[in-house]
Structure formats: C-alpha cells, structure tokens
Amino acid sequence: MLKENYLQDYQNLFAVFNAIHPLSEELKSAIIKNSHIAQVKRKTTLLSAGESSNTIYFIVAGGARVYYLDKDGKQTNTWFLFENELLISVYGFFTGQPSFEYIETLEDTTLIVVKREKLDEMYLQFMEFNFIGRKLTEYYYIRNEIQANELRMLSAKERYEQLLKRNPQLFQRVSLGHIASYLGISQETLSRIRK
Amino acid sequence: MLKENYLQDYQNLFAVFNAIHPLSEELKSAIIKNSHIAQVKRKTTLLSAGESSNTIYFIVAGGARVYYLDKDGKQTNTWFLFENELLISVYGFFTGQPSFEYIETLEDTTLIVVKREKLDEMYLQFMEFNFIGRKLTEYYYIRNEIQANELRMLSAKERYEQLLKRNPQLFQRVSLGHIASYLGISQETLSRIRK
DNA sequence: CCTAACTTTTGATAAAAGTCAAAAAAACAC
DNA sequence: GTGTTTTTTTGACTTTTATCAAAAGTTAGG
C-alpha cells in the first residue's frame, strides 16, 4: 500500500518525460533509485541565498515561489511553480555558483527530490535523458523569455492584464503582494490597477 | 585553399561544442554536411515576424540583433549576439510557432547556417549531441534570466551601469538607440543617464 | 569636402509608478 | 466569536521615466 502510493507519485513525472521521449524501464528505475519523495509544510524554505543550489524538485502537489532580496532587503518573486512542474533556482543550479535566490513553498507540498550529482550521473549514463532535459530546458527558457519581453515591452497595467488572462488561477493561490513583485511593480500600484 | 578556409570557419564552433562534450568525427562530419557557410552584409534581415523560425546560426564573425515591434510599431531589441555565439529567435525556433521577432545583422557577418530539420535529425542520430544542446540551452537561459531579473529589479540607471560593467564592448558595436530599447528605456532617458 | 541620412543630445512637459503612512478588510488562531 | 496577524486598499506626495519637438553632432557617399 505504501509502496503503491509511493510509485503513484512518479506517474505524472514519467508522463511528462515520456511525452518528450520514450523512457526506458532502466531510466525509470534509475530515476526512482536516485530520488526520494518529500512532504513539506507551507512556507518551508527549500533553498536560501548563499547556499549551493544542488537539488531539483518535481512538484507532485502544491506549489512554491522563487524569490530574491533586492538591495533594500525587499523580496522580489521571479517564479511561481505548481504541480507537474520542475522547481529549481535556475542560476545556481545551472552554474554551480552559490544561489542568490530563495525557494519557499506556498502551500503544503509533495516533491520528488533529485540531487544534481545524481541527475548528472543519469545524464551521462542515459544519453537519451539529455533529449528530455534539453526539451524541458527549452520549455522553461521560453517562459522566461516571454517574461523578460513583457517586462521590457508592457506597462504595469498591461503586464497585470496579460498575467490575469494567461494564468487566472495564479490569483487564487498566490497573494497580491507576491504577484506585484513578480510583475515588477509595487503592491500599491497593483491594488490601484485592479480597480 | 577554399576548402581549408571553409573548414576553418567550423573550428570555433567545434571548440565550443567540444568543451562541453567530446565531439566524435562522425558528428563533426554530420554538422558540416548539414550546414553551410553564409556571408551576409550589414543590416541583412535573417528572419521576419510571421515567418517560421526554422534556422539556427552560429556567428563566425560579425554580429546581429533580435528585435520585435511593439504595439506602436517601435523596435525593441531583445538580444545582441556576436562571434562564437548561437543566434536564433528563441520563441519561434523552440516552439515552431510563427516568429514575432526579427533578426538583423549589425555588421557584415559570416554565419554557419543549420536548418532545424537537420538539427533535429542530428539530435536523434547522435544522442550525445543532446548533452551539448542541453548545456548550451542552459547557458543562454541563464543569460536570459539575468536579463529578466535586472528588468524587474533595477532602475534604468542601474541597468545601464550593469550593462556597461558587464559588456563594455557592446557600446563600441551597437548604437545607443539600440541599447536603449534593449535596456527597456527610451533613447532620451539613456542619453540623460550617460551624463 | 559637402550634402544627406542617421544618431545623439537637450529642453519642456506629461504620464507612470514609487514611497510613506494609515485605514480597512480578510484570514487565522484560540 | 473575538482578538491578532496578515493582506489589501486608499490618500497625499515624490520620483522616475516617457513623450514630443527641435537642435546638434556624426557618418558615409558622391
């Protein structure tokens, strides 16, 4: 029973990967062997600035935010991630440099946890896994690019409207203060825009 | 002689790739077979909005910019790329959707040209090529993420100073009008910041 | 050179968004 | 439920940046 529930948590991860490139049983086993499930409470810090960002998470249930502190010590959210999405601090995880970002859960969350060391082993052992990794990196890159373009091109109001249109559920799960910093505007301005 | 010059153009590309993962002779041959060299003049448009973005370029010499038109028809630069860098319109190339961006050379430029179709063939035929593709995607993703963070976090003046510090050569090769839109500010504001 | 085209700067004004402080509303805990 | 904490809204004012128009400077060709 416990074992079955445990495997259940991997099904969505495998489905996401399999839709990109067929996953061999060996690779599935390796993923299970090289990872574990974690249940964490809301507002749990998974990564702090200065630490080495050596873990990648797949969100089975729940959600998290990535943020950093600006020069006045104010939190700026760069990303919100929910079920069936991968969760990392991009800069730290990809470069190996100490993180300047924090990761914190927004809700009680179930995660599949993989250390970068193990991930890198799998990338070397299963070359086809790089196909999947490449595609996923492309996917998140696009999202990031859209974000950067909108910050450059749209006014505060337009960015809000765009987000509301593209991702209305976000407003159900994340406070307006958090969304404001994600949009690159002050909470007061967001409040005024919404009227 | 011609042949040698021709191969010479591939050396930097191979060096970049080889630093990530050893390139087999077969893969090198495949890359040469599936690509060609192009010499283009300054201000040549390599991609226009609405077109399918089905080509990836490696810049052997010269440089290019990626831009789009905002709702008032004004050009907004999203990227400047120079020798030994890869050149694509990210969104269009990765999604297969029609491009909303333009690519234009900034200088007379020598390019290695690969069609996405051929690239995808190589990704399937040489699984280790995905290792290289993944790493390169990660690298450009990080650059993009830094850009997005700076747009969100820094004032116009700080963004200018950051760019000047990180990439001073850019100011030698790109006009201030182009840099202004890249920084997400008006040309007049950039001019005032610089005093 | 010298003109034409393009790029950068300057000035005046307007619009957008931030800051600070406090009130109101909502969510949470006992 | 009632008090406490957190989140959101509101008001007054300031700062930042955009816009429009024009002048000055620079570059490239004939």
Side-chain angles (χ1 to χ4, degrees):
Chain A
M1 184 62 194
L2 189 85
K3 181 78 179 294
E4 270 165 46
N5 279 335
Y6 179 81
L7 285 177
Q8 184 58 41
D9 289 335
Y10 283 92
Q11 293 318 304
N12 285 354
L13 173 70
F14 290 159
V16 169
F17 287 7
N18 206 66
I20 297 170
H21 190 277
L23 273 181
S24 66
E25 290 304 317
E26 290 74 28
L27 181 47
K28 284 188 193 173
S29 299
I31 290 169
I32 292 172
K33 195 180 99 224
N34 288 314
S35 68
H36 68 272
I37 307 288
Q39 295 267 150
V40 300
K41 286 276 165 218
R42 179 166 188 267
K43 298 213 177 187
T44 300
T45 297
L46 299 174
L47 174 73
S48 290
E51 292 178 6
S52 170
S53 170
N54 52 17
T55 309
I56 185 165
Y57 304 95
F58 178 83
I59 302 175
V60 176
R65 68 189 177 107
V66 182
Y67 70 93
Y68 54 74
L69 303 181
D70 70 16
K71 55 200 177 315
D72 303 324
K74 216 176 55 196
Q75 297 185 358
T76 303
N77 295 300
T78 58
W79 216 255
F80 302 112
L81 294 153
F82 297 96
E83 32 280 301
N84 297 324
E85 297 187 310
L86 292 167
L87 171 62
I88 55 172
S89 167
V90 171
Y91 181 83
F93 191 77
F94 284 165
T95 65
Q97 298 283 107
S99 180
F100 62 87
E101 292 181 310
Y102 298 76
I103 301 178
E104 188 189 87
T105 52
L106 292 161
E107 311 169 356
D108 293 355
T109 298
T110 305
L111 299 161
I112 295 175
V113 181
V114 184
K115 291 284 158 192
R116 192 182 44 228
E117 191 191 351
K118 297 291 179 187
L119 182 70
D120 285 341
E121 278 174 32
M122 289 191 283
Y123 275 138
L124 286 172
Q125 198 185 342
F126 301 92
M127 272 296 149
E128 75 276 17
F129 194 37
N130 289 285
F131 190 99
I132 296 168
R134 176 176 64 82
K135 283 287 189 182
L136 287 168
T137 308
E138 289 176 3
Y139 170 76
Y140 286 97
Y141 184 172
I142 290 162
R143 287 176 37 168
N144 198 74
E145 170 113 336
I146 290 169
Q147 224 181 263
N149 287 348
E150 288 181 357
L151 285 166
R152 201 168 357 222
M153 178 161 79
L154 303 181
S155 67
K157 188 176 179 192
E158 290 167 326
R159 296 203 295 277
Y160 166 72
E161 284 162 356
Q162 191 70 41
L163 185 65
L164 190 60
K165 199 173 89 184
R166 191 169 46 238
N167 200 356
Q169 338 76 280
L170 191 65
F171 292 79
Q172 257 60 66
R173 299 179 79 169
V174 174
S175 76
L176 292 173
H178 281 156
I179 286 174
S181 81
Y182 176 78
L183 290 171
I185 59 182
S186 70
Q187 173 155 200
E188 294 93 326
T189 297
L190 178 58
S191 175
R192 289 182 179 112
I193 284 168
R194 281 164 61 83
K195 286 196 316 183
Chain B
M1 184 64 192
L2 189 87
K3 181 78 179 289
E4 269 165 45
N5 278 336
Y6 180 82
L7 284 177
Q8 185 57 40
D9 288 337
Y10 283 91
Q11 294 317 306
N12 284 354
L13 173 70
F14 290 159
V16 168
F17 286 7
N18 206 66
I20 297 169
H21 190 277
L23 275 180
S24 66
E25 290 304 318
E26 289 75 29
L27 181 47
K28 283 187 193 173
S29 300
I31 290 169
I32 292 172
K33 196 181 99 224
N34 288 313
S35 67
H36 67 272
I37 307 288
Q39 294 267 148
V40 300
K41 287 273 164 219
R42 179 164 187 267
K43 298 213 177 187
T44 301
T45 298
L46 299 174
L47 175 72
S48 290
E51 293 178 5
S52 170
S53 169
N54 51 18
T55 310
I56 185 164
Y57 304 95
F58 178 83
I59 302 175
V60 176
R65 69 189 177 105
V66 182
Y67 70 93
Y68 53 74
L69 303 181
D70 71 16
K71 55 200 177 313
D72 303 325
K74 216 176 54 197
Q75 297 185 359
T76 303
N77 295 299
T78 58
W79 216 256
F80 302 113
L81 294 152
F82 297 96
E83 31 280 300
N84 297 325
E85 297 188 307
L86 292 167
L87 170 63
I88 54 172
S89 166
V90 171
Y91 181 83
F93 191 77
F94 285 165
T95 65
Q97 299 283 108
S99 181
F100 62 88
E101 292 181 311
Y102 297 75
I103 301 179
E104 189 189 88
T105 52
L106 291 163
E107 311 169 358
D108 293 355
T109 298
T110 305
L111 299 161
I112 296 174
V113 181
V114 184
K115 291 284 159 194
R116 191 180 45 227
E117 192 191 350
K118 297 293 182 188
L119 182 70
D120 284 342
E121 278 175 31
M122 289 191 282
Y123 275 139
L124 286 173
Q125 200 186 339
F126 301 93
M127 271 297 149
E128 75 276 18
F129 194 38
N130 288 285
F131 190 99
I132 296 167
R134 176 176 63 83
K135 283 287 189 182
L136 286 169
T137 308
E138 290 176 2
Y139 170 77
Y140 287 97
Y141 185 172
I142 289 163
R143 286 177 38 168
N144 197 73
E145 170 113 337
I146 290 170
Q147 223 181 265
N149 287 348
E150 288 181 357
L151 284 166
R152 205 173 348 227
M153 177 161 81
L154 303 182
S155 68
K157 188 175 179 191
E158 291 168 326
R159 295 202 296 277
Y160 166 72
E161 284 163 354
Q162 191 69 43
L163 185 66
L164 190 61
K165 198 173 90 185
R166 191 169 46 239
N167 201 355
Q169 339 76 279
L170 191 66
F171 292 79
Q172 256 61 65
R173 299 179 79 170
V174 175
S175 76
L176 291 173
H178 282 155
I179 286 174
S181 82
Y182 175 79
L183 290 171
I185 59 181
S186 72
Q187 174 157 199
E188 295 93 327
T189 298
L190 179 57
S191 175
R192 288 180 180 112
I193 284 168
R194 281 163 62 82
K195 287 195 315 184

mmCIF file of all heavy atoms in Angstrom, chain B residues 64 79-82 85 106-107 163-164 166-176 178-179 182-183:
data_model
loop_
_atom_site.group_PDB
_atom_site.id
_atom_site.type_symbol
_atom_site.label_atom_id
_atom_site.label_comp_id
_atom_site.label_asym_id
_atom_site.label_seq_id
_atom_site.Cartn_x
_atom_site.Cartn_y
_atom_site.Cartn_z
ATOM 1 N N ALA B 64 24.684 40.366 -34.689
ATOM 2 C CA ALA B 64 23.284 40.532 -35.075
ATOM 3 C C ALA B 64 22.455 40.930 -33.863
ATOM 4 O O ALA B 64 22.895 40.799 -32.725
ATOM 5 C CB ALA B 64 22.741 39.235 -35.676
ATOM 6 N N TRP B 79 18.022 41.088 -27.902
ATOM 7 C CA TRP B 79 19.295 40.385 -27.782
ATOM 8 C C TRP B 79 20.296 40.901 -28.801
ATOM 9 O O TRP B 79 19.907 41.231 -29.933
ATOM 10 C CB TRP B 79 19.053 38.886 -28.007
ATOM 11 C CG TRP B 79 19.924 38.071 -27.124
ATOM 12 C CD1 TRP B 79 21.046 37.391 -27.502
ATOM 13 C CD2 TRP B 79 19.785 37.854 -25.727
ATOM 14 N NE1 TRP B 79 21.610 36.791 -26.413
ATOM 15 C CE2 TRP B 79 20.862 37.054 -25.318
ATOM 16 C CE3 TRP B 79 18.856 38.278 -24.766
ATOM 17 C CZ2 TRP B 79 21.033 36.670 -23.987
ATOM 18 C CZ3 TRP B 79 19.022 37.895 -23.450
ATOM 19 C CH2 TRP B 79 20.101 37.092 -23.079
ATOM 20 N N PHE B 80 21.548 40.961 -28.384
ATOM 21 C CA PHE B 80 22.659 41.228 -29.304
ATOM 22 C C PHE B 80 23.599 40.036 -29.237
ATOM 23 O O PHE B 80 23.934 39.572 -28.143
ATOM 24 C CB PHE B 80 23.423 42.492 -28.886
ATOM 25 C CG PHE B 80 22.568 43.718 -28.836
ATOM 26 C CD1 PHE B 80 22.293 44.340 -27.631
ATOM 27 C CD2 PHE B 80 22.032 44.252 -30.005
ATOM 28 C CE1 PHE B 80 21.491 45.473 -27.584
ATOM 29 C CE2 PHE B 80 21.234 45.393 -29.965
ATOM 30 C CZ PHE B 80 20.963 45.996 -28.753
ATOM 31 N N LEU B 81 24.015 39.540 -30.380
ATOM 32 C CA LEU B 81 24.884 38.359 -30.407
ATOM 33 C C LEU B 81 26.041 38.573 -31.364
ATOM 34 O O LEU B 81 25.872 39.181 -32.437
ATOM 35 C CB LEU B 81 24.062 37.128 -30.789
ATOM 36 C CG LEU B 81 23.012 36.772 -29.724
ATOM 37 C CD1 LEU B 81 21.834 36.065 -30.314
ATOM 38 C CD2 LEU B 81 23.640 35.984 -28.584
ATOM 39 N N PHE B 82 27.208 38.044 -30.992
ATOM 40 C CA PHE B 82 28.432 38.268 -31.772
ATOM 41 C C PHE B 82 29.187 36.953 -31.972
ATOM 42 O O PHE B 82 28.628 35.883 -31.725
ATOM 43 C CB PHE B 82 29.288 39.323 -31.066
ATOM 44 C CG PHE B 82 28.613 40.655 -30.990
ATOM 45 C CD1 PHE B 82 27.902 41.031 -29.850
ATOM 46 C CD2 PHE B 82 28.624 41.516 -32.076
ATOM 47 C CE1 PHE B 82 27.233 42.236 -29.800
ATOM 48 C CE2 PHE B 82 27.967 42.730 -32.032
ATOM 49 C CZ PHE B 82 27.267 43.087 -30.894
ATOM 50 N N GLU B 85 28.830 32.923 -30.892
ATOM 51 C CA GLU B 85 27.561 32.728 -30.201
ATOM 52 C C GLU B 85 26.524 32.161 -31.180
ATOM 53 O O GLU B 85 26.623 32.365 -32.396
ATOM 54 C CB GLU B 85 27.065 34.038 -29.606
ATOM 55 C CG GLU B 85 28.032 34.571 -28.556
ATOM 56 C CD GLU B 85 27.496 35.767 -27.795
ATOM 57 O OE1 GLU B 85 27.071 36.740 -28.433
ATOM 58 O OE2 GLU B 85 27.530 35.721 -26.565
ATOM 59 N N LEU B 106 24.070 43.301 -37.566
ATOM 60 C CA LEU B 106 24.545 44.628 -37.178
ATOM 61 C C LEU B 106 25.762 45.025 -37.997
ATOM 62 O O LEU B 106 26.084 46.202 -38.113
ATOM 63 C CB LEU B 106 24.933 44.626 -35.695
ATOM 64 C CG LEU B 106 23.790 44.487 -34.694
ATOM 65 C CD1 LEU B 106 24.318 44.074 -33.331
ATOM 66 C CD2 LEU B 106 23.011 45.790 -34.581
ATOM 67 N N GLU B 107 26.465 44.010 -38.520
ATOM 68 C CA GLU B 107 27.713 44.223 -39.259
ATOM 69 C C GLU B 107 27.743 43.197 -40.391
ATOM 70 O O GLU B 107 26.917 42.292 -40.425
ATOM 71 C CB GLU B 107 28.918 43.956 -38.336
ATOM 72 C CG GLU B 107 28.828 44.654 -36.986
ATOM 73 C CD GLU B 107 29.889 44.171 -35.999
ATOM 74 O OE1 GLU B 107 30.672 43.257 -36.348
ATOM 75 O OE2 GLU B 107 29.923 44.701 -34.884
ATOM 76 N N LEU B 163 25.113 46.944 -17.465
ATOM 77 C CA LEU B 163 25.472 46.530 -18.823
ATOM 78 C C LEU B 163 26.852 47.064 -19.202
ATOM 79 O O LEU B 163 27.672 46.351 -19.797
ATOM 80 C CB LEU B 163 24.426 47.032 -19.822
ATOM 81 C CG LEU B 163 24.619 46.564 -21.276
ATOM 82 C CD1 LEU B 163 24.426 45.058 -21.391
ATOM 83 C CD2 LEU B 163 23.646 47.284 -22.203
ATOM 84 N N LEU B 164 27.095 48.297 -18.828
ATOM 85 C CA LEU B 164 28.386 48.919 -19.124
ATOM 86 C C LEU B 164 29.509 48.151 -18.432
ATOM 87 O O LEU B 164 30.592 47.959 -18.995
ATOM 88 C CB LEU B 164 28.363 50.371 -18.634
ATOM 89 C CG LEU B 164 29.527 51.269 -19.046
ATOM 90 C CD1 LEU B 164 29.601 51.393 -20.562
ATOM 91 C CD2 LEU B 164 29.374 52.652 -18.414
ATOM 92 N N ARG B 166 29.359 44.917 -17.375
ATOM 93 C CA ARG B 166 29.450 43.524 -17.807
ATOM 94 C C ARG B 166 29.852 43.403 -19.266
ATOM 95 O O ARG B 166 30.486 42.441 -19.662
ATOM 96 C CB ARG B 166 28.123 42.809 -17.568
ATOM 97 C CG ARG B 166 28.254 41.301 -17.751
ATOM 98 C CD ARG B 166 27.050 40.511 -17.281
ATOM 99 N NE ARG B 166 25.806 41.079 -17.734
ATOM 100 C CZ ARG B 166 24.833 41.493 -16.920
ATOM 101 N NH1 ARG B 166 24.953 41.376 -15.631
ATOM 102 N NH2 ARG B 166 23.726 42.000 -17.416
ATOM 103 N N ASN B 167 29.464 44.367 -20.067
ATOM 104 C CA ASN B 167 29.641 44.211 -21.508
ATOM 105 C C ASN B 167 30.025 45.529 -22.171
ATOM 106 O O ASN B 167 29.323 46.007 -23.056
ATOM 107 C CB ASN B 167 28.326 43.662 -22.085
ATOM 108 C CG ASN B 167 28.529 42.998 -23.426
ATOM 109 O OD1 ASN B 167 29.634 43.026 -23.974
ATOM 110 N ND2 ASN B 167 27.475 42.437 -23.967
ATOM 111 N N PRO B 168 31.154 46.107 -21.753
ATOM 112 C CA PRO B 168 31.508 47.432 -22.262
ATOM 113 C C PRO B 168 31.735 47.458 -23.773
ATOM 114 O O PRO B 168 31.449 48.468 -24.417
ATOM 115 C CB PRO B 168 32.796 47.771 -21.499
ATOM 116 C CG PRO B 168 33.321 46.478 -20.994
ATOM 117 C CD PRO B 168 32.132 45.608 -20.786
ATOM 118 N N GLN B 169 32.234 46.363 -24.348
ATOM 119 C CA GLN B 169 32.494 46.314 -25.790
ATOM 120 C C GLN B 169 31.213 46.534 -26.598
ATOM 121 O O GLN B 169 31.247 47.007 -27.729
ATOM 122 C CB GLN B 169 33.101 44.987 -26.239
ATOM 123 C CG GLN B 169 33.786 44.117 -25.208
ATOM 124 C CD GLN B 169 32.821 43.379 -24.300
ATOM 125 O OE1 GLN B 169 32.306 43.941 -23.333
ATOM 126 N NE2 GLN B 169 32.564 42.104 -24.607
ATOM 127 N N LEU B 170 30.073 46.160 -25.991
ATOM 128 C CA LEU B 170 28.801 46.309 -26.700
ATOM 129 C C LEU B 170 28.604 47.736 -27.185
ATOM 130 O O LEU B 170 28.100 47.967 -28.294
ATOM 131 C CB LEU B 170 27.652 45.911 -25.769
ATOM 132 C CG LEU B 170 26.283 45.755 -26.425
ATOM 133 C CD1 LEU B 170 26.272 44.592 -27.399
ATOM 134 C CD2 LEU B 170 25.197 45.540 -25.376
ATOM 135 N N PHE B 171 29.052 48.694 -26.382
ATOM 136 C CA PHE B 171 28.844 50.104 -26.704
ATOM 137 C C PHE B 171 29.700 50.553 -27.894
ATOM 138 O O PHE B 171 29.422 51.574 -28.502
ATOM 139 C CB PHE B 171 29.122 50.970 -25.469
ATOM 140 C CG PHE B 171 28.107 50.767 -24.379
ATOM 141 C CD1 PHE B 171 28.169 49.670 -23.535
ATOM 142 C CD2 PHE B 171 27.049 51.650 -24.234
ATOM 143 C CE1 PHE B 171 27.213 49.469 -22.541
ATOM 144 C CE2 PHE B 171 26.097 51.464 -23.244
ATOM 145 C CZ PHE B 171 26.172 50.358 -22.405
ATOM 146 N N GLN B 172 30.728 49.754 -28.194
ATOM 147 C CA GLN B 172 31.558 50.045 -29.366
ATOM 148 C C GLN B 172 30.868 49.576 -30.650
ATOM 149 O O GLN B 172 31.156 50.064 -31.729
ATOM 150 C CB GLN B 172 32.905 49.301 -29.247
ATOM 151 C CG GLN B 172 34.062 50.190 -28.847
ATOM 152 C CD GLN B 172 33.838 50.827 -27.496
ATOM 153 O OE1 GLN B 172 33.775 50.134 -26.487
ATOM 154 N NE2 GLN B 172 33.679 52.151 -27.461
ATOM 155 N N ARG B 173 30.000 48.598 -30.511
ATOM 156 C CA ARG B 173 29.492 47.937 -31.709
ATOM 157 C C ARG B 173 28.019 48.201 -31.984
ATOM 158 O O ARG B 173 27.519 47.879 -33.064
ATOM 159 C CB ARG B 173 29.718 46.416 -31.590
ATOM 160 C CG ARG B 173 31.202 46.077 -31.469
ATOM 161 C CD ARG B 173 31.450 44.599 -31.334
ATOM 162 N NE ARG B 173 31.371 43.892 -32.609
ATOM 163 C CZ ARG B 173 31.741 42.618 -32.763
ATOM 164 N NH1 ARG B 173 32.195 41.920 -31.728
ATOM 165 N NH2 ARG B 173 31.652 42.030 -33.932
ATOM 166 N N VAL B 174 27.306 48.734 -31.024
ATOM 167 C CA VAL B 174 25.855 48.891 -31.163
ATOM 168 C C VAL B 174 25.483 50.335 -30.838
ATOM 169 O O VAL B 174 26.023 50.913 -29.888
ATOM 170 C CB VAL B 174 25.134 47.916 -30.211
ATOM 171 C CG1 VAL B 174 23.643 48.142 -30.240
ATOM 172 C CG2 VAL B 174 25.461 46.479 -30.574
ATOM 173 N N SER B 175 24.579 50.911 -31.597
ATOM 174 C CA SER B 175 24.192 52.306 -31.358
ATOM 175 C C SER B 175 23.417 52.438 -30.049
ATOM 176 O O SER B 175 22.801 51.486 -29.570
ATOM 177 C CB SER B 175 23.345 52.824 -32.521
ATOM 178 O OG SER B 175 22.041 52.301 -32.432
ATOM 179 N N LEU B 176 23.433 53.646 -29.514
ATOM 180 C CA LEU B 176 22.776 53.882 -28.225
ATOM 181 C C LEU B 176 21.268 53.712 -28.323
ATOM 182 O O LEU B 176 20.621 53.285 -27.378
ATOM 183 C CB LEU B 176 23.120 55.290 -27.732
ATOM 184 C CG LEU B 176 24.590 55.466 -27.327
ATOM 185 C CD1 LEU B 176 24.876 56.929 -27.013
ATOM 186 C CD2 LEU B 176 24.952 54.587 -26.146
ATOM 187 N N HIS B 178 19.740 51.484 -30.082
ATOM 188 C CA HIS B 178 19.500 50.048 -29.944
ATOM 189 C C HIS B 178 19.669 49.591 -28.512
ATOM 190 O O HIS B 178 18.891 48.777 -28.005
ATOM 191 C CB HIS B 178 20.441 49.259 -30.859
ATOM 192 C CG HIS B 178 20.011 49.258 -32.294
ATOM 193 N ND1 HIS B 178 20.883 49.074 -33.329
ATOM 194 C CD2 HIS B 178 18.802 49.416 -32.861
ATOM 195 C CE1 HIS B 178 20.226 49.112 -34.479
ATOM 196 N NE2 HIS B 178 18.969 49.340 -34.217
ATOM 197 N N ILE B 179 20.679 50.107 -27.864
ATOM 198 C CA ILE B 179 20.933 49.706 -26.477
ATOM 199 C C ILE B 179 19.793 50.176 -25.573
ATOM 200 O O ILE B 179 19.371 49.456 -24.666
ATOM 201 C CB ILE B 179 22.296 50.245 -26.002
ATOM 202 C CG1 ILE B 179 23.414 49.420 -26.661
ATOM 203 C CG2 ILE B 179 22.420 50.177 -24.481
ATOM 204 C CD1 ILE B 179 24.820 49.926 -26.407
ATOM 205 N N TYR B 182 16.963 47.822 -25.682
ATOM 206 C CA TYR B 182 17.378 46.583 -25.005
ATOM 207 C C TYR B 182 17.254 46.730 -23.489
ATOM 208 O O TYR B 182 16.848 45.799 -22.789
ATOM 209 C CB TYR B 182 18.823 46.264 -25.397
ATOM 210 C CG TYR B 182 19.432 45.087 -24.695
ATOM 211 C CD1 TYR B 182 19.140 43.785 -25.088
ATOM 212 C CD2 TYR B 182 20.324 45.268 -23.648
ATOM 213 C CE1 TYR B 182 19.719 42.702 -24.449
ATOM 214 C CE2 TYR B 182 20.909 44.196 -23.011
ATOM 215 C CZ TYR B 182 20.604 42.908 -23.413
ATOM 216 O OH TYR B 182 21.171 41.840 -22.775
ATOM 217 N N LEU B 183 17.596 47.919 -22.991
ATOM 218 C CA LEU B 183 17.519 48.185 -21.550
ATOM 219 C C LEU B 183 16.095 48.511 -21.100
ATOM 220 O O LEU B 183 15.828 48.668 -19.911
ATOM 221 C CB LEU B 183 18.440 49.349 -21.179
ATOM 222 C CG LEU B 183 19.944 49.089 -21.260
ATOM 223 C CD1 LEU B 183 20.721 50.384 -21.091
ATOM 224 C CD2 LEU B 183 20.374 48.072 -20.214
#
